[in-house]
Amino acid sequence: MQNAIVKALIKEEQIRLYFIDNSQLLHDIYALNQELPKPLKLLLGKTISAMSILSGTLKGNQRMSLQVTLSNTRHKIFAEAEANGNVRGYLNEELLRSSNIEEKSMQDLIGPSGMIRVIKGSEMNQFTSITDMPNQHITDDIANYIVQSDQTPTYLYSDIQLDKGGFLLSSHALFAQLLPSAPPHLLSEVKMIVKANPDIFSKLNAEEANDSEEVLTQLFGDAKIIGHSSSQFFCGCSKEMFYGMLYSLSEEEIKRSIERKEDIEALCHICGKTYTFEQKEMQQLF
């Protein structure tokens, strides 16, 4: 079931484990970023894949905003997830314009001094935290952020398969977290099982919950499916959001456009949608 988070308890209900086939979500994201070189596709894809499964850990009207600043501090990745499963993300212009990307690995792109900044919570109750990126790896370091902020051992895994041309073949993610009083070695066992089963997601990609439960039991000894939730790409932009851009223009710039009978266009860098402000709308600013 694509874009469906399957939630389970394993190891005698001492670990919560979520997994997702988010291939469709990443296909939607990549459709807006067709010219990205493969290393940037993986960097953006793994960030959004991780956020998609973490959306399943949010409750009510909670939201999680992520900013990854690479060692080159002009290069940033932004992503956001909501409790309803809406996920979005993008690379900033400086990173998109960077050169010599094709031959770089994720470790090279992140560098030794990357940082993760997270704002999490509801509109009335948010907290901000910042952690470094000792692993120089998106999913490992997002998991490290969770460990540092929640003081809870956590494992996060993302598997993205691209062909030689950079076309997306599949994308999956897995989240595992110890519940209170569970012995730490259980999480290490989960990591070992995942690494020993490279085809784990094809096994788990079952249409029926009972099939997933059976496969989880085979892999981890016991399992109980406790729920499902969805995760999908959603921008949420609107024309009204870009009126602020018009107000940021000088009076001379707007007058010049009116005199030339030129419309002004605003591009959403998240979903690629273009909004056009016509002559009448610009005249109303005066």
Side-chain angles (χ1 to χ4, degrees):
M1 295 181 291
Q2 288 196 356
N3 287 6
I5 301 172
V6 181
K7 303 180 179 183
L9 297 176
I10 62 171
K11 297 291 183 180
E12 298 180 347
E13 302 187 7
Q14 297 183 89
I15 291 180
R16 62 170 175 163
L17 183 142
Y18 299 172
F19 64 89
I20 185 174
D21 175 351
N22 51 23
S23 302
Q24 183 59 53
L25 189 158
L26 253 65
H27 180 272
D28 295 340
I29 295 290
Y30 286 160
L32 302 170
N33 299 271
Q34 295 182 7
E35 304 302 319
L36 280 184
K38 193 172 181 178
L40 290 186
K41 272 193 172 181
L42 285 173
L43 200 63
L44 178 61
K46 283 187 174 289
T47 303
I48 292 176
S49 181
M51 292 294 278
S52 75
I53 198 163
L54 289 177
S55 71
T57 68
L58 303 176
K59 299 177 181 178
N61 61 350
Q62 285 185 330
R63 175 181 296 175
M64 179 177 176
S65 298
L66 179 80
Q67 176 185 298
V68 178
T69 301
L70 309 185
S71 290
N72 182 338
T73 55
R74 293 175 298 173
H75 296 167
K76 301 180 188 295
I77 310 165
F78 298 93
E80 190 172 76
E82 299 174 358
N84 60 10
N86 288 340
V87 179
R88 48 197 162 269
Y90 63 97
L91 309 175
N92 75 339
E93 288 294 328
E94 287 78 3
L95 182 52
L96 290 172
R97 291 197 300 264
S98 58
S99 57
N100 303 318
I101 291 292
E102 290 287 356
E103 304 303 318
K104 292 186 178 180
S105 65
M106 183 184 300
Q107 188 175 22
D108 293 332
L109 288 169
I110 295 172
S113 55
M115 301 289 291
I116 290 177
R117 179 175 180 267
V118 175
I119 301 174
K120 185 179 178 182
S122 61
E123 186 174 336
M124 302 299 294
N125 185 23
Q126 296 182 344
F127 66 88
T128 301
S129 55
I130 299 174
T131 60
D132 58 7
M133 301 182 71
N135 304 291
Q136 294 176 237
H137 188 281
I138 287 292
T139 48
D140 289 349
D141 285 316
I142 293 176
N144 176 65
Y145 148 75
I146 297 171
V147 172
Q148 297 296 323
S149 64
D150 297 352
Q151 299 297 304
T152 306
T154 301
Y155 174 52
L156 190 59
Y157 178 69
S158 169
D159 178 60
I160 297 176
Q161 297 296 322
L162 303 175
D163 65 13
K164 291 181 180 179
F167 181 79
L168 178 68
L169 299 175
S170 65
S171 174
H172 300 85
L174 182 145
F175 165 87
Q177 190 173 61
L178 286 185
L179 294 175
S181 302
H185 72 85
L186 291 181
L187 198 63
S188 298
E189 291 179 12
V190 170
K191 294 180 185 179
M192 292 174 59
I193 291 168
V194 173
K195 291 179 179 179
N197 290 271
D199 60 343
I200 186 170
F201 290 113
S202 61
K203 293 178 179 178
L204 290 172
N205 190 23
E207 290 296 326
E208 299 296 332
N210 288 338
D211 295 335
S212 298
E213 196 169 274
E214 183 178 340
V215 174
L216 286 171
T217 299
Q218 292 172 357
L219 288 166
F220 300 105
D222 65 277
K224 177 183 179 182
I225 301 293
I226 57 173
H228 298 79
S229 62
S230 64
S231 184
Q232 57 283 322
F233 170 67
F234 177 75
C235 178
C237 66
S238 66
K239 189 172 183 176
E240 287 71 24
M241 294 171 63
F242 288 91
Y243 272 102
M245 179 272 296
L246 285 184
Y247 284 108
S248 70
L249 298 176
S250 68
E251 185 174 327
E252 289 73 22
E253 288 175 297
I254 297 176
K255 282 184 176 180
R256 192 181 308 122
S257 295
I258 293 174
E259 290 169 359
R260 295 176 180 176
K261 296 183 179 180
E262 296 175 341
D263 297 334
I264 293 179
E265 293 187 340
L267 174 69
C268 177
H269 51 255
I270 299 177
C271 69
K273 189 171 182 178
T274 299
Y275 295 95
T276 301
F277 294 89
E278 300 177 348
Q279 298 290 302
K280 181 189 292 187
E281 293 171 287
M282 289 186 287
Q283 289 171 352
Q284 287 175 349
L285 292 178
F286 294 100

